Each structure stands twice: as C-alpha cells, then as structure tokens.
C-alpha cells in the first residue's frame, strides 16, 4: 500500500526514528562538545596544569610539547651527545632521542632523520660492549621504522637490516626482542623490503630464537614479525620462505597465548589468500583441524583470522574444501552465521557461499549440517554486506545443487527470502538473485512443476517485485527480469490485464486499448 | 541552556525582532501564548503564531519559517528531544523553549548558543552533570586508535611507546569504558520517566510580573494554565497546591491593588477570587445532577455505572435534603436559598459517603455581574474546542477558536466550548461505564489494557490526545474502584483507539498507576520506543508526549506482546 510507505518514509524523518542510534549518539556528543568547547577551554587548561604534571613528571618539557623550537633545541643537544666520544654522552643522547620517538603524539621522526642521526644509531647497534646503548639505538630505530614508508626507507638505507639480523643473536633477550620488533616493522612495509629481508636470511635467524623457554612477550613479537614476513601479495613471499616458516607457525598455533594465536592465525590467512597451490602448501601441513578449533574461540582476535583463513581454504579446490569439511568446519559455521558481530556473520556467509559452489555432495553436507536455516535468517536480517554473501551462497547452491536439493532450499524459505531482497538498490546483487530464481525455475521445469513455483513466487509478492525490475535503470537487470517473466509468467501477465480491465475499467481505460493494439 | 534572567536573556533580546511563535495544542500552551501575545502587543513586537500538533508539524512549520526568522519561541514543545538534531537549523537560529515536558534533553540543557530554556530551575529537574555525560573530543581522539584491534587485521608496523605511556593508555581506556558505562546508566535513569514541570503559562506570567506588565487577564490565563495541568493530570497534588499558593499571592496583590476601582463594580470589571470549590465539572453551567453524573470524582466514588451506584446517588441526594426538581434543573435557575450554602451541604454529605476530597482549591473569575467561571471549567471548554470533532475543521481553526474562548471579549465562544465539553464528558462517562460493564479492561500482567474498537460510540473523539487522556484517567480511576483484584489496582493502563481508518492506525496511550500519592511519572514513552524497535512495528512517535503514539493496527498484537515481555 503506497500510503504505508509514505508514512514510513516520513516517520524516519522525525524524532530520530530510523537513524542508527549509535551514530546518533556520536553525533550528539560531537555537536555538543563543540558548542561547549569555547566556554570550557579555560577550565580545561587549568585542569591540565594540575593533572597532566604527575603523568610526565619524569620527562622534561620537550617530551610533551609540539613547540618546534623546544624540539630543535633538544635535538641539537642530542646530536652533540651522540657524536661525542664519551660513552655516557652517547648513551644519554641516544636515550633522549628514543624518548622523543616514544611519545604518543607527533614523535619527531623526520627531525631526527634530518639531523643525520640514523647512521650513528646503526653504528651503535654493533656496540656489543655497551648493551644499554645498543638497546636505546634499536628502540629508536624501531620507532622510526614504524612511520611511513619513507621513514622505513631511511632506516634500511642506513644499513640497519644486516645490523639488526646480527643483533637477533644478542644474548640479552630484551635487545634481541627489540631487533625482532624492528625487523617486523621493516617487513611490514611491503613486499619489497619483506623479500629483501628474506634474502638476507632473516627467517633462519628468527626461527633460531623460537625456543620453548622463550618468554611470552618475546614470542608475541616474534610471531608478529613472522606474520609480517608472510604478509602482502604482488608478489607473494617466495614459496621456499613459506615452507621455512610454516612448521614454526604450526607450532605457534598450538600455544595458549591469545596474541600469539592471533598473529599466527593472521599469518595463515595471508598464506591462504592466493591461488590453489598456495593454499595447498598450508593444507598439507595438516593445520586445518586446528584452524577449525580456533574458529570456536570466543576472542574475536583469534576467531576473525581463523575464519578468514578458513574462508580462503574453502575458496580453493574441491579437494581442499573437502579437507575443511572433514575437519568439521560445517559444525562450527552455523554458530558463526548467528554470531552477534555482523563482520563475523559476513565472513561466515562468504565461507558458506564458497562451499555451496562445490559439487552436490558438499552441498548435501551443508544441508545435513543444518546450515540452511541460519543462512536464510541472514538473508532476512543480516546487514547488507552479509546479505550479499548469503545471496551468493544461494545462487551457487542453486546452480550446483541437484533438483532435490533446490526443492529443499525452496521449502526452507530460501526463495521467499531472496525475493524479499529484490528491493535493494545494488544492481549486481539483483542480478545474482535473478540468477538464483532462474536456477530454481530450471529445477522446477525438470520436475514439471513450473506452475507451482510461479504460484509460489506470486503468492509471496515476488512477481510484483520482478515486474517492477523491468523498469530498472540497469539494462542487464531489466533484460533478465523481462526474460524471466516472458519465460515463466507470460500467461499470468495476460490474465492480469484482463482482470484489471474488467474490475477497474475507468482507471485503465487507455492502457487497455493500447494493449489491444499490441495484440493485433 | 537554562535562562536565569528571562527578562534580560529572552524578552529584551526578542523585543526588537520578528519572532516565530510555535504553540502546542494544549490548554496551558494556549494560556502561555495569550500572555505572551499580550506582552508582544504592548511592545509592538512582530510575531507569527503557528499552532503545532506534533513533531512532524513542528518540522514543517520550522522549514516554512526558517528563512524569514532567526528567533523561534516554542511553547510546550521541543524541550524533550535534541532539537538541533531534529530540526537541523542554521547556526544563527535561536530557540527559546518554554515547555513543561520533562526530562529536558541533555543536549538542549548544555547547548549555550542556540537553545535557551525558559524553564524554572527550582523544578525538580535532576539534570546529570556535564562531565558525567560529555567528554572532550581530544580525550576521545587519543584512544580511538586501539578500538577496533580485535576485529581487523593487525597493523603492519608498530611503535614502541614508553612503558609508562602504555600503562597510561590502558588506564585511560579503562577509565573511559567505566565512564561510558556510568554515562549510560545516568542517562537511562534520567530519561526513564516522563513528567511535567511548572505550567508554561505561569512561567510566562512570572515574566510579565517581573516586567511589571502583568494584568488581571494575564493572571487569569496563568490560573487556567495551572488548572489544565490539574484537569489533565499532569502534575502531583503537592505541586498543584504549591503553585495555587503562588498564584493566590498574585491574586490578592491584584485585588488589593485595584480595591478602589473594584468598589465601583461595573459591567466590564473582572474579578478573580480564590475558591475552595467542588470537584464537579461544569456544574454552574449544567444541572447539579448532570454534573454529578458526569464528573470523574463522583461517578467513580458512587460507581454510577451500576444499579447499586445509582441507588446510592439517590440516597446521597436525599441525604443532602435537596429536592430532585431543584437538583435536575439548570444550576442558574436553582433557588438562591439552596445555592447559598450549597458547597457546605454537599461537602457534609460527601464526607458521609466517603468522598472526603469533594472540594479543591481553585479560582473563579467574574466578568461583570453575570458571568462567573471556574478555572477548571474553562479548561474543559478550551480543550473541547481544541479537539472539536463535530465539524470537519482543520486543526488550526480549532486552535484559533480555543484561543479566542480565553478572551473575555469572546464569551460566546467560551459558552460554545462549555456545551462541547458537556458532550465530551457525557461521552467519556458512557464509554467508561460500557468498558467496565462489558469487562473490556484486561490485565496483561505488567499493565492493564483496554482497546476501543471501531464502531464504539464517540470513537472519533477518542482519537484525540486530550480526550483519550481524560478517558484513560477516568477509566482507570473507575476500574480501580470497581475491581476486587488488589494487584490490578496498582497497574498502569494502556488504551488504544482507532486513529486513522484509512491509514489503518490506532492511537496508543499509556498512563501511570492510579494512586493518591502518584508522582505522575510515565515510563511508557521509553517502553513504546523499545517495543516498536524490537518488533519492527510501524509506529509514528509524533506526539510531544512520547507516551502517545500512532501504531499500525495489524502490528498491535506483536507490539503488545513485546511490551508485556519488556515490562514483566
């Protein structure tokens, strides 16, 4: 009923109805704060004077200020100290630089680089006689490498890579750890530096530090750095490097620390995000059952990368997907489809869509494991991105499934759910839905029950929706919709015309005449 | 923000400006409007008066006037939502809001530039402290970096911060989470209940008094504004009595003031008197009998919908010793001798019949020699005119008519209103009687529920907020007296009545439980919103009172189910 729609649309305009509450709240706060700001700034300043002092009491003003002059004076002092010959002064200068670089707001990365300090810092990395200096220099360089690509580049070009790799072997754990961290930053910059590091044999050096007695903090850094070495495409890391890292990753995936698990899992997800032969390398390690187990974790930090990895694996070959199914992925996915976080629902739906793209035996396993009800729920209630994945799942299912399987889907409410989605704007998704509908009709034709399906579509208001799509601005959509109607609903359409002519003659007087002309 | 000096911060600001005056459809708003209009006339302030019936209306009115006006005065609307968010005005637009709706939206309270609240701060407002509900964006920005950690890919690079910095960051995040949880709690407590504050007419009257521009007419309107809050059950008895006392001081000041002139009574003089009068609606314009039969206090006490009640009424009349003939004829034509100490006679018998509070503090007005009106009766008349459903009039015609009925030069309009009010009270009593006799009030667990079906007599009248409010209140009072179920006596009531047959909607209204000591706080607004949200019911929250909504008829059962679950 058009009036209903009008009211609904109007409703959203008032009293915050229809707007997302969380957004609303954000906005309210923002607006208000702005308005109050002027008046309050004075009192805030006063407060700051009192409360911020104890925080920074150990630090001189330069570590908190953004004042250019104060910083440049501090840096000049650092230059002076670092370039002197006295050990104490060098350490003091290096530490001052490190402190500047460790502050939370606007650390002066560029200023330190421009001061030409990096070469000296890299020198200090080799000073095995002075661990404190080594450590301070390593920390400072780590933080510079954590900046933009340009910042990282300056660190590398000053020869830090070999120095850090050497430093990995330091007997002092905290120094070695700092080296691990710095190398992680360099590897995380992109494929080029990643491969440069790999070429410098960073992997054996890192893996040598992976011992059972390593403290958790150390292991976290190590895992993260390893994951960065697996990260990034175009190109992928060399296969030989992957082969080197994988056994250790498998080991790490069996540890108990959540952060280690998370980063190791992300590494797996990077490695599986590629062609089937890349996936194969991972699957062959036998890690898939463990990934399934990790998908059952409550912590999103573990669940998310595990689910991502699994999604990647089932996007591979039928055999690879079968390994995942045999590992029990289908018993975990229903729960994830119902996960409170939309992002998890979306990823889970994506995984299901890829399994549904498999042979009908795998589709049968989807049905057996009860994935249809949660999937159809998502079609109805998921957010848009999730719905899109769920639609793909349906279309894949209908194109690969047997007639019986398609019938089962329709009986479970799948048809009605996708028909309801035809009102969305996205043309691509509509085409995918129309494809699924077409597949269902093909199945119905095989059974000789086309009319039954037509009736069903009409009953749930689908015909009306498809008819409206004939006015869609997208050519492909309108043509597909038209084809569907011509192929399966043609008689009905004529019937409908006669009916309207008879009942509402006054209203459709003219269109009826036009129709007649067409018939001639 | 609240204005502390309404004269300086409001009146002196608008006095040389053009003002748009948006007035809600209730009697208190009408009265406040009358006083303000009188002041504006005095000082030649140019204004445009626009009646608004709901949020949609307000939005449209704002759109239509925002080009020509910078200053907007809102009466009995606008305080309880974030107005800037709702209307999206330009930055130099300024709203002066005189509204009894509570709680006042916190953004309105703390906005210093565009929202000026003409609200008495000695009202029990309970505004949360600024620091408890708002934070500086800087503080927020610092911590936003680590928010989405667990959900997305880890960063490719990481900076190593000072140990201290990490601890401080963690500590800040913890504090922030705690603060947010507390904020939610505070806001929930603050926004949970809806209620009404000091009458807008009284607030505006006080302004006129501060400016020494107050007249007797203005005072009378302030009185009617307060009476409206009493009649429509918006404030507690305590608050009513306190405010009556305030007004009484003004009344005696005025009568004192004009004593000399008053001695020479003239045809056009105006006299306001404090009265300790009967809680019998419109009796001076009706017959005593009809008034007793159609006043909530007496009908519910006698249970007049039953035979037994009717009998008791006869006994009561006999006890007073008033001849039936006198009681049934027009009050004006009753014997002077009977009228003389009528109130005492009625009070005495009422006490015997358990009606201890038959009298109530109020005021009356005399225009010349002939016309005398009680404040409550004027409220009934004006409300009946506001919601006149007899002719197909548009709401703004009704509004103007109701506004006119408050002018002493338009007494004919007031008499019209009184006639309408009689019909309305009769309709209400008949509906109450039929609802109770046919057991239409159902206990749903956490609340009572009564649904008026399409086709019920006078159903059109009850699609209006004020009429439905009165019906609800009278029905609940009567039901509480008639039921033997003790638990039911303590329940709030929800009523639905057909609203728009074409659109297929009903009006839904919820009122708090009936009790002597009721704080008149209403939690249905929040509950309705939540129930609608959780069921996807198609609702329209257009009324300035959030406990009145419009609902698609076919969504009614799922909406009610959700409400039961929510409140159990």
């Amino acid at each position: 009923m058009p009036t209903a729609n009008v009211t609904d649309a109007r409703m959203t305009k008032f009293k915050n109805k229809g707007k997302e509450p969380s957004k609303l709240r954000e906005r309210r706060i923002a607006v208000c704060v702005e308005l109050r700001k002027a008046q309050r700034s004075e009192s805030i300043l006063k407060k700051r004077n009192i409360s911020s002092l104890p925080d920074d009491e150990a630090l001189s003003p330069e570590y908190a200020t953004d004042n250019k002059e104060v910083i440049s004076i501090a840096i000049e002092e650092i230059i002076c100290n670092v370039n002197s010959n006295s050990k104490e002064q060098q350490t003091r200068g290096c530490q001052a630089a490190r402190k500047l670089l460790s502050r939370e707001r606007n650390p002066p990365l560029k200023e330190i680089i421009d001061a030409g300090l990096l070469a000296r810092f890299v020198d200090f990395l080799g000073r095995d006689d002075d661990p404190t200096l080594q450590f301070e220099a390593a920390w400072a360089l780590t933080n510079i490498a954590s900046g933009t690509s340009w910042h990282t580049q300056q660190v590398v070009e000053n020869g830090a890579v070999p120095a850090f790799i050497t430093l990995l072997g330091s007997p002092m754990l905290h120094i070695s750890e700092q080296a691990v961290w710095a190398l992680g930053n360099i590897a995380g910059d992109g494929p080029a530096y990643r491969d440069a590091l790999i070429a410098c044999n960073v992997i054996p050096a890192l893996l040598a530090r992976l011992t059972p007695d390593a403290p958790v903090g150390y292991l976290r850094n190590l895992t993260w750095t390893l994951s960065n070495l697996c990260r990034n495409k175009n190109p992928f890391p060399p296969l030989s490097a992957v082969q080197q890292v994988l056994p250790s990753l498998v080991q790490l995936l069996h540890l108990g620390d959540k952060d280690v698990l998370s980063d190791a899992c992300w590494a797996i997800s990077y490695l599986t995000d590629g062609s089937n032969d890349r996936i194969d390398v991972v699957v062959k390690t036998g890690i898939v059952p463990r990934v399934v187990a990790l998908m059952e974790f409550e912590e999103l930090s573990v669940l998310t990368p595990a689910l991502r990895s699994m999604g990647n694996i089932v996007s591979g070959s039928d055999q690879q997907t079968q390994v995942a199914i045999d590992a029990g992925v289908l018993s975990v996915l229903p729960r994830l489809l119902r996960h409170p976080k939309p992002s998890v629902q979306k990823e889970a739906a994506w995984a299901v869509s890829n399994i549904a793209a498999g042979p009908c035996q795998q589709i049968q396993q989807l049905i057996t494991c009860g994935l249809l009800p949660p999937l159809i729920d998502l079609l109805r209630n998921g957010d848009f991105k999730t719905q899109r994945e769920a639609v793909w799942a349906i279309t894949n299912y209908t194109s690969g499934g047997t007639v019986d399987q398609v019938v089962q889907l329709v009986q479970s409410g799948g048809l009605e759910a996708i028909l309801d989605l035809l009102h969305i704007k996205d043309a691509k998704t509509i085409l995918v839905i129309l494809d699924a509908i077409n597949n269902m009709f093909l199945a119905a034709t095989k059974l000789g029950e086309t009319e039954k399906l037509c009736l069903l579509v009409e009953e749930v208001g689908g015909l009306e929706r498809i008819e409206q799509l004939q006015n869609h601005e997208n050519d492909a959509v309108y043509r597909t919709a038209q084809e569907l109607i011509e192929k399966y609903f043609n008689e009905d359409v004529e019937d409908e015309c006669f009916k309207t002519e008879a009942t509402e003659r006054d209203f459709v007087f003219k269109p009826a005449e036009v129709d007649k002309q067409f018939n001639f | 923000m609240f204005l502390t000096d309404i004269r300086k911060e409001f009146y002196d600001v608008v006095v040389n400006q053009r003002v748009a005056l948006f007035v809600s459809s209730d009697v208190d708003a009408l009265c406040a409007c009358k006083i303000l209009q009188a002041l504006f006339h005095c000082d030649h302030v140019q204004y445009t008066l626009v009646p608004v019936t709901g949020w949609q209306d307000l939005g449209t009115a704002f759109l239509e006037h925002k080009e020509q006006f910078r200053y907007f005065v809102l009466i009995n609307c606008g305080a309880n939502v974030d107005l800037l968010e709702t209307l999206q005005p330009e930055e130099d637009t300024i709203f002066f809001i005189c509204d009894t709706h509570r709680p006042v939206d916190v953004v309105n309270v703390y906005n210093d530039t565009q929202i000026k609240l003409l609200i008495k701060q000695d009202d029990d407002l309970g505004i949360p402290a600024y620091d408890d509900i708002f934070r500086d964006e800087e503080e927020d920005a610092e911590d936003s970096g680590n928010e989405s950690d667990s959900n997305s890919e880890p960063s490719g690079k990481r900076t190593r911060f000072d140990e201290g910095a990490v601890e401080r960051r963690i500590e800040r995040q913890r504090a922030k989470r705690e603060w947010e949880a507390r904020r939610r709690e505070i806001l929930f407590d603050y926004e949970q209940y809806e209620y009404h504050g000091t009458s807008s007419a009284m607030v505006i009257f006080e302004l006129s008094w501060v400016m020494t521009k107050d007249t007797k007419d203005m005072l009378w309107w302030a009185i009617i504004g307060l009476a409206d809050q009493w009649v429509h059950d918006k404030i507690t008895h305590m608050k009513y009595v306190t405010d009556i006392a305030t007004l009484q001081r003004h009344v005696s000041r005025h009568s004192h003031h004009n004593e000399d002139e008053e001695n020479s009574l003239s045809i056009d003089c105006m006299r306001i008197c404090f009265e300790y009068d009967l809680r019998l609606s419109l009796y001076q314009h009706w017959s005593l009998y009809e008034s007793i039969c159609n006043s909530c206090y007496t009908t519910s006490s006698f249970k007049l919908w039953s035979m037994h009640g009717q009998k008791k009424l006869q006994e009561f009349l006999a006890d007073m010793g008033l001849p039936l003939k006198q009681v049934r004829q027009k009050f004006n034509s009753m014997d002077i001798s009977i009228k003389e100490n009528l109130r005492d006679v009625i009070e005495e018998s009422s006490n015997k019949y358990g009606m201890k509070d038959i009298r109530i503090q109020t005021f009356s007005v005399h225009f010349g020699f002939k016309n005398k009106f009680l404040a409550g009766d004027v409220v009934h008349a004006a409300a009946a005119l506001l919601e006149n459903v007899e002719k197909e009039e548009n709401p703004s015609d009704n509004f103007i008519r109701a506004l006119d009925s408050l002018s002493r030069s338009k007494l004919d309009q007031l008499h019209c209103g009184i006639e309408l009010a009689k019909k309305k009270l009769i309709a209400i009593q008949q509906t109450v009687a039929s609802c109770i006799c046919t057991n239409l009030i159902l206990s749903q667990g956490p609340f009572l529920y009564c649904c008026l079906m399409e086709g019920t007599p006078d159903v059109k009248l009850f699609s209006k907020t004020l009429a439905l409010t009165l019906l609800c209140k009278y029905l609940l009072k009567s039901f509480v007296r008639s039921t033997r179920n003790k638990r039911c006596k303590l329940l709030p009531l929800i009523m639905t009545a057909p609203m728009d047959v074409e659109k297929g909607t009903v009006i839904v209204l919820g009122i708090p439980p009936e009790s002597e000591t009721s704080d008149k706080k209403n939690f249905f607004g929040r509950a309705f919103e939540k129930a609608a949200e959780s069921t996807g019911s198609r609702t329209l929250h257009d009324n300035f009172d959030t406990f009145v909504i419009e609902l698609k008829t076919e969504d009614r059962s799922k909406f009610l189910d959700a409400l039961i679950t929510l409140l159990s």
Side-chain angles (χ1 to χ4, degrees), chain A residues 288-461:
Chain A
V288 177
R290 179 59 183 164
V291 175
V292 172
L294 293 173
M295 285 166 69
E296 298 198 65
F297 268 55
E298 257 180 45
E299 289 81 3
L300 277 179
S301 59
V302 179
L303 160 61
T304 306
L307 177 55
R308 176 75 57 84
S309 306
M310 187 50 75
N312 289 339
I313 291 168
V314 296
S315 74
S317 67
D318 291 347
Q319 289 78 17
Q320 288 160 351
T321 307
Q322 193 58 44
V323 172
I325 294 175
D326 293 342
V329 67
L330 291 180
S331 60
V332 184
L333 279 174
R335 196 152 2 111
L336 298 186
L337 287 173
R338 296 199 156 111
H339 197 277
K341 285 260 177 195
S343 59
V344 175
Q345 294 175 1
K346 189 199 84 184
E347 294 266 328
W350 173 59
V352 172
S353 79
N354 276 328
I355 299 172
C360 57
Q361 294 82 358
Q362 289 179 355
I363 294 179
Q364 193 55 44
Q365 276 172 301
L366 280 181
I367 301 172
T368 316
C369 293
L371 273 95
L372 286 189
L375 185 68
I376 289 165
D377 278 352
L378 285 185
L379 283 172
R380 295 199 182 108
N381 305 321
D383 72 356
F384 176 62
K385 283 181 184 166
T386 309
Q387 287 177 328
R388 211 165 45 188
E389 297 301 340
V391 163
W392 269 111
I394 299 293
T395 304
N396 289 343
Y397 179 112
T398 52
S399 70
T402 64
V403 171
D404 281 344
Q405 285 166 347
V406 174
V407 168
Q408 191 154 3
L409 174 68
V410 173
Q411 283 169 348
S412 308
L415 173 63
E416 196 178 343
I418 53 169
L419 285 172
D420 277 346
L421 277 176
L422 280 176
H423 67 270
I424 55 174
K425 298 273 175 295
D426 184 50
K428 253 195 197 159
T429 311
I430 292 183
L431 280 172
V432 178
I433 297 174
L434 291 177
D435 209 13
I437 297 170
N438 199 33
N439 288 337
M440 290 178 183
F441 269 109
L442 287 178
T445 315
K446 280 185 199 155
L447 287 174
E449 297 199 331
T450 322
E451 270 183 37
K452 240 180 166 176
L453 190 62
C454 284
L455 213 64
L456 188 61
V457 170
E458 216 180 323
E459 260 174 27
V460 298

Side-chain angles (χ1 to χ4, degrees), chain B residues 494 508 510 524-532 546-547 549 559 563:
Chain B
I494 292 178
V508 183
F524 279 118
R526 292 276 132 182
F528 285 171
E529 255 175 59
K530 279 211 179 122
T546 61
F547 50 82
I549 62 166
F559 176 82
L563 211 53

Side-chain angles (χ1 to χ4, degrees), chain A residues 475-516:
Chain A
D475 261 5
V477 169
Y478 116 78
R479 253 185 284 121
T480 317
Q482 200 174 29
E483 272 166 32
L484 258 180
I485 289 188
E486 273 173 10
K487 217 156 139 198
Y488 301 107
F489 292 96
N490 221 1
E491 281 171 58
D492 286 335
V493 171
E494 273 175 22
D495 271 0
E496 196 98 322
C497 272
F498 277 123
K499 261 189 239 156
T500 32
E501 207 182 353
T503 51
E504 292 177 294
R505 207 173 308 149
D506 297 2
F507 279 97
V508 288
F509 190 61
K510 274 199 176 156
E513 261 189 355
V514 173
D515 263 355
K516 270 179 199 159

Side-chain angles (χ1 to χ4, degrees), chain A residues 11 35 39 105 152 178 185, chain B residues 111-112 142 157 160 539:
Chain A
M11 246 173 240
L35 294 166
Q39 196 209 329
R105 257 188 265 177
T152 312
Q178 198 58 56
N185 277 340
Chain B
N111 180 305
D112 289 355
E142 277 176 11
K157 297 177 182 178
R160 176 167 186 178
T539 53

